[in-house]
């Protein structure tokens, strides 16, 4: 079984649900407590053993590249001022030279198209995909949990979570053959089904481990739900030919591409920080009461 060394971060979307915040700033740079969303995804990938970080960008996404670069002037000033803790924290954001790759998606044609834009960097290796607007609060990082299952099962793995029936039309939804503990053996997938057509309420939340064969199916560039080239549609032909599982990971996913999800994530992540938890809990309590 080939190890997963590469991860794709699709960051070429326009973030229209967050306008005007995203007019001049990438959605993936929006701050969750004190770190941009993209940094949570990169740290999760790193903790799962990823060595190569492939970003699918678009016009105006320059700050994303800068965020993972060295910042000599700032480092020097922090050093002169004795701010060593801040300096150490900042250095952790860097991705070493030769381990980060940027490719452009020239038009936001959909998630499937964004992944296809990374095909040259991916080659013929299995890879992970992390949607940075989804952050997962868990004791063991979500992708690391998926890697554990990959070591047992191989093939394709999708992180899934149960969502309310009324919300299924916002997600890719699993059709499940049978449950094996935290794993759901997949027999079908539907992107953004109606409530009536949904085969379950198990939703794909934005973490994938995929075999390279999906890239061949993405080359067809067929449009699906919402007129976009959907990753889910290109996965369907692989079902039954390769191992294919949903992973009911331990933890909770927050969709930060959605305003309410983003606000909830800020509270949830702040409550996990010892230096903030007490004050935040008090303030939220006062507001809610
Ligand atoms: P979203 O659909 O949540 O992002 O895609 P979006 O299109 O930027 O958001 P809205 O709906 O307009 O507010 C999830 C992830 O996939 C990327 C986005 O950047 C985001 O990180 N994406 C989406 C692409 O890279 N290319 C696309 O064509 C679509």
């Amino acid at each position: 079984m080939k190890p997963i060394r590469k991860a794709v971060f699709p960051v070429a979307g326009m973030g229209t649900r967050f306008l005007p915040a995203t007019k001049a700033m990438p959605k993936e740079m929006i701050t969750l407590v004190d770190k941009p969303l993209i940094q949570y995804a990169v740290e999760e990938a790193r903790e799962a053993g990823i060595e190569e970080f492939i970003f699918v960008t678009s016009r105006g996404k320059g700050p994303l590249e800068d965020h993972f670069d060295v910042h000599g002037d700032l480092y020097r000033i922090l050093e002169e001022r004795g701010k060593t803790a801040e300096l150490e924290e900042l250095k952790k954001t860097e991705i070493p030279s030769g381990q980060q790759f940027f490719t452009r998606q020239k038009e936001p044609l959909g998630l499937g198209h964004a992944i296809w834009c990374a095909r040259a960097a991916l080659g013929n290796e299995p890879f992970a995909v992390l949607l940075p607007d989804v952050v997962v609060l868990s004791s063991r990082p979500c992708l690391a949990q998926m890697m554990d299952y990959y070591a047992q099962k191989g093939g394709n793995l999708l992180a899934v979570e149960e969502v309310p029936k009324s919300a299924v039309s916002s997600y890719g939804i699993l059709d499940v053959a049978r449950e094996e503990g935290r794993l759901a053996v997949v027999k079908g997938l539907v992107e953004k089904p109606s409530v009536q057509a949904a085969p379950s309420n198990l939703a794909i939340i934005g973490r994938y481990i995929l075999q390279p064969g999906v890239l061949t199916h993405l080359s067809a560039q067929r449009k699906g739900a919402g007129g976009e080239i959907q990753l889910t549609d290109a996965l369907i032909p692989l079902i039954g030919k390769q191992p294919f599982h949903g992973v009911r990971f331990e933890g909770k996913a927050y969709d930060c591409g959605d305003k309410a999800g983003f606000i909830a994530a800020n509270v949830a992540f702040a409550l996990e920080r010892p230096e903030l938890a007490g004050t935040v809990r008090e303030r939220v309590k006062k507001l809610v009461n």
Side-chain angles (χ1 to χ4, degrees):
M1 195 187 301
K2 279 195 185 169
I4 311 292
R5 301 185 316 111
K6 302 183 181 191
V8 185
F9 303 86
V11 292
M14 295 197 294
T16 53
R17 283 172 291 166
F18 258 97
L19 283 168
T22 48
K23 185 181 174 197
M25 180 181 70
K27 172 172 83 170
E28 301 79 9
M29 285 301 290
I30 289 178
T31 311
L32 175 56
V33 185
D34 56 4
K35 288 192 282 190
L37 291 175
I38 187 68
Q39 195 179 328
Y40 288 88
V42 165
E43 285 174 1
E44 184 182 330
R46 200 181 263 147
E47 284 164 28
I50 294 296
E51 295 164 14
E52 294 187 11
F53 302 79
I54 303 161
F55 299 85
V56 183
T57 71
S58 58
R59 185 169 294 273
K61 302 283 179 164
L64 282 158
E65 286 192 38
D66 292 342
H67 187 73
F68 296 103
D69 202 357
V70 286
H71 192 332
D73 293 343
L74 184 55
Y75 289 7
R76 209 168 315 112
I77 290 166
L78 290 175
E79 204 156 6
E80 281 166 14
R81 296 185 182 172
K83 295 192 177 259
T84 36
E86 287 85 349
L87 183 58
E88 284 320 303
E89 206 45 47
L90 210 57
K91 282 185 176 170
K92 281 193 214 153
T93 57
E94 282 177 35
I95 300 177
S97 298
Q99 286 182 245
Q100 53 184 331
F101 304 89
F102 299 92
T103 180
R104 277 210 176 195
Q105 184 190 29
K106 301 213 166 167
E107 264 186 279
L109 297 178
L111 177 60
H113 182 260
I115 303 303
W116 179 78
C117 291
R119 64 196 180 286
L122 291 169
N124 198 29
E125 278 190 43
F127 57 96
V129 176
L130 297 98
L131 304 194
D133 46 2
V134 175
V135 285
V136 182
L137 196 51
S138 55
S139 40
R140 181 158 167 74
C142 181
L143 188 63
Q145 294 181 42
M146 295 172 74
M147 292 287 203
D148 296 342
Y149 289 110
Y150 180 73
Q152 294 170 25
K153 301 283 182 184
N156 303 277
L157 294 143
L158 317 175
V160 293
E161 203 172 61
E162 281 184 28
V163 297
K165 257 277 178 197
S166 56
V168 288
S169 60
S170 304
Y171 296 90
I173 298 291
L174 264 57
D175 191 357
V176 178
R178 61 181 187 284
E179 306 278 354
E180 290 179 359
R182 282 192 170 271
L183 292 182
V185 179
V186 176
K187 67 169 177 183
L189 295 170
V190 201
E191 184 62 36
K192 300 188 173 58
S194 64
V195 175
Q196 298 75 25
S200 77
N201 65 338
L202 261 193
I204 305 170
I205 59 96
R207 298 289 182 275
Y208 307 74
I209 288 178
L210 301 176
Q211 297 301 310
V214 68
L215 298 170
T216 314
H217 297 293
L218 285 172
S219 317
Q221 310 227 352
R222 248 176 246 118
K223 288 186 179 166
E228 295 195 345
I229 300 171
Q230 299 286 356
L231 178 58
T232 308
D233 294 341
L235 294 172
I236 293 168
L238 305 176
I239 300 169
K241 296 193 179 116
Q242 300 174 349
F244 215 119
H245 295 91
V247 179
R248 292 172 184 263
F249 58 96
E250 168 277 315
K252 166 101 189 84
Y254 291 87
D255 180 3
C256 293
D258 164 81
K259 283 173 199 153
F262 174 67
I263 291 161
N266 265 290
V267 176
F269 276 69
L271 290 175
E272 289 298 306
R273 298 270 292 265
E275 77 282 15
L276 284 174
T279 330
V280 171
R281 183 170 292 109
E282 279 312 306
R283 291 199 181 182
V284 171
K285 251 195 216 160
K286 260 193 202 157
L287 283 172
V288 174
N289 294 335

